[in-house]
Amino acid sequence: MAIDWANFGVDLHLDLSASATRRTALEEALRDAIRSGRLAPQTRLPATRTLAAELGLARGTVSAAYDQLVAEGYLTARQGSFTEVAALPPIVLPTAVPEVVTTPRYDLRPGSPDVSTFPVAAWTRAVRRSLSRAPVTAFDYGDPRGSLVLRSVLADYLGRARGVLASPDRIVITSGYVQALALLATVYRGRTIGLEDPGLDFHRDVVREAGASVVPVPVDSLGAVLPVAAADAVVLTPAHQYPMGVTLHPERRRAAVEWARSGDRLIIEDDYDGEFRYDRQPVGALQGTAPEHVVYIGTAAKTLSPALRLAWMVLPAYLVEPVVRLKRLTDVHTETIGQLALADLIAEHAYDRHIRACRLRYRRRRDQLVDRLPGADLGGIAAGLHVVLGLPAGLSERDVLDAAAARGLALGALGTHWHEPGTRPQGLVVGYGTPREGAYPAAVDTLSRVLRSF
């Protein structure tokens, strides 16, 4: 409805049918006119009787709308006088800057699985079954430790699949691995945590932001080198080190456990893709040899999807209370519906079947990558979702990355993973999990052509 206030030189277009009440519609129209500047400061508004007659409203409705806008500061009014637009400070809206996102044609960066393999049908069935069985209390605020249903199922699964000694009361479900790391680093605020060198720089940022100091833990062909005298805790990836891809040697495993026991220190075991080993059975978790000195962290990000934001910690007894307290203060609890569905997926063994299928698929991809790069210096090929590609002398990461980008191919760089970038050997971190099945062969062929061009 267009209202022409001829006496004031103002056109207001009011859609009084768009809101629940006409009073609300009038309030919204006046606010919009004032904010946009169509009603300038000190503009006199019609008397309530006049505006009510024009709009076909009760005078009390218009008076109530005026009163509300006076209370909000949009209008000013004096007893027995006119109502006018208040002098508001100018509203400066931020200028929208269009985000430029360049999506590579082929993506061989590490860090993600092939999300097209997510078992949609099995997950849907799991959601339906778990919701039909869930008590009403499952839809209320939950235990900071996570759903007891999932924690109970995980205790059994982790024992048989990863050799973890777990009980439901020692397990805490978190919103992804990063939250688990941040909670532990907060417990160790003011102390020092060792992180593998090379490793993800983002994880170093997480630890520092939580208030702990970071020291590098050197990694060689046998895995992490301990002891690290300055550290109160260390984060290790013993099953498959990221990014170098080595498995922690048995002697190094024993040395790490002895280091933790002898000084009452902590090992944080990141088992991010421990299920994916191709030359033999997956190596069991380090936690099983020293459950009171090792925190085990697993995640569904690589086995199912990062979108689920589900991870789990198996804690020593002394860490349960402080971690649960911080978890409550952080986000109260991790969402419950996904936990129930994951519990059902594991209990029905659909999770095991999915992992076995993915293991075969990723092994074929690994083999195809190795076959297409004959003679290349490839490391970490026994497990996981990536390989490390060494570069010949004189060839820089930047040269290869630029050449790959020109062909629409994205790759990871080893250089950014060092605690002191630029001071260590360079190379490429090539992920073979990310591409969809149909795009993978072309991505590998493109990588091969890039390397042959030098």
Side-chain angles (χ1 to χ4, degrees), residues 9-142:
V10 174
D11 261 347
L12 281 186
H13 297 271
L14 307 181
D15 184 3
L16 299 185
S17 63
S19 299
T21 68
R22 292 194 166 197
R23 170 188 161 183
T24 302
L26 179 58
E27 291 174 6
E28 291 176 351
L30 291 172
R31 285 192 196 94
D32 179 67
I34 295 169
R35 288 169 177 160
S36 66
R38 288 185 291 128
L39 279 178
Q42 299 182 334
T43 298
R44 293 187 182 184
L45 269 61
T48 56
R49 187 189 306 275
T50 302
L51 185 56
E54 288 195 48
L55 298 179
L57 300 176
R59 183 181 180 187
T61 299
V62 177
S63 296
Y66 278 13
D67 290 343
Q68 178 65 31
L69 295 178
V70 168
E72 293 177 6
Y74 288 96
L75 303 177
T76 60
R78 295 179 181 177
Q79 188 69 28
S81 184
F82 51 80
T83 302
E84 66 179 20
V85 176
L88 298 176
I91 299 174
V92 180
L93 297 177
T95 302
V97 178
E99 182 180 0
V100 179
V101 178
T102 303
T103 302
R105 185 178 182 187
Y106 305 114
D107 194 347
L108 289 177
R109 289 173 294 189
S112 179
D114 179 0
V115 294
S116 69
T117 65
F118 184 79
V120 174
W123 184 262
T124 301
R125 290 191 295 270
V127 170
R128 288 173 177 165
R129 283 193 301 262
S130 58
L131 291 185
S132 67
R133 294 193 293 255
V136 174
T137 54
F139 306 105
D140 203 344
Y141 289 104

Side-chain angles (χ1 to χ4, degrees), residues 292-313:
E292 292 305 319
H293 295 276
V294 179
V295 173
Y296 174 89
I297 305 179
T299 174
K302 301 300 185 289
T303 54
L304 287 172
S305 166
L308 294 179
R309 308 309 305 141
L310 286 174
W312 41 88
M313 289 189 282

Side-chain angles (χ1 to χ4, degrees), residues 3 30 47 57 62 105 129 144 147 153 164 172 215 233 251 274 292 324 357 398 432:
I3 303 300
L30 291 172
L57 300 176
V62 177
R105 185 178 182 187
R129 283 193 301 262
S147 164
V153 169
V164 174
V172 174
V215 294
E251 288 296 330
E292 292 305 319
V324 171
R398 189 72 269 156
Y432 50 84

Side-chain angles (χ1 to χ4, degrees), residues 250-453:
E251 288 296 330
R252 296 281 177 86
R253 288 168 68 96
R254 287 189 284 272
V257 169
E258 178 57 30
W259 171 82
R261 284 175 171 159
S262 63
D264 197 26
R265 304 180 184 94
L266 181 69
I267 297 173
I268 301 170
E269 180 176 12
D270 177 2
D271 198 35
Y272 72 101
D273 65 357
E275 293 90 347
F276 298 131
R277 190 170 183 92
Y278 311 120
D279 59 348
R280 55 183 169 88
Q281 287 296 314
V283 176
L286 187 64
Q287 188 268 0
T289 64
E292 292 305 319
H293 295 276
V294 179
V295 173
Y296 174 89
I297 305 179
T299 174
K302 301 300 185 289
T303 54
L304 287 172
S305 166
L308 294 179
R309 308 309 305 141
L310 286 174
W312 41 88
M313 289 189 282
V314 182
L315 298 163
Y318 73 95
L319 281 178
V320 173
E321 189 279 329
V323 168
V324 171
R325 177 180 176 275
L326 284 173
K327 172 66 175 172
R328 181 184 291 111
L329 295 174
T330 301
D331 63 357
V332 182
H333 68 98
T334 299
E335 67 87 22
T336 303
I337 307 303
Q339 293 186 56
L340 296 177
L342 178 58
D344 182 276
L345 207 68
I346 295 173
E348 296 294 325
H349 301 293
Y351 188 65
D352 295 74
R353 292 191 294 273
H354 173 72
I355 288 176
R356 287 196 296 270
C358 286
R359 190 181 294 132
L360 290 173
R361 179 180 294 106
Y362 292 139
R363 179 172 182 169
R364 287 194 296 266
R365 290 191 178 194
R366 188 277 311 263
D367 293 345
Q368 186 175 353
L369 180 65
V370 172
D371 290 343
R372 293 293 290 126
L373 302 178
D377 178 16
L378 296 176
I381 65 173
L385 302 177
H386 75 277
V387 298
V388 177
L389 176 60
L391 298 178
L395 185 59
S396 71
E397 291 175 349
R398 189 72 269 156
D399 292 337
V400 180
L401 293 175
D402 289 345
R407 291 172 170 82
L409 174 64
L411 301 165
L414 177 62
T416 60
H417 291 77
W418 299 103
H419 282 240
E420 295 182 9
T423 63
R424 299 296 184 87
Q426 295 190 351
L428 302 177
V429 186
V430 182
Y432 50 84
T434 302
R436 310 298 181 263
E437 196 71 18
Y440 183 69
V444 174
D445 286 342
T446 302
L447 174 60
S448 177
R449 287 194 296 272
V450 168
L451 295 177
R452 290 199 306 268
S453 69

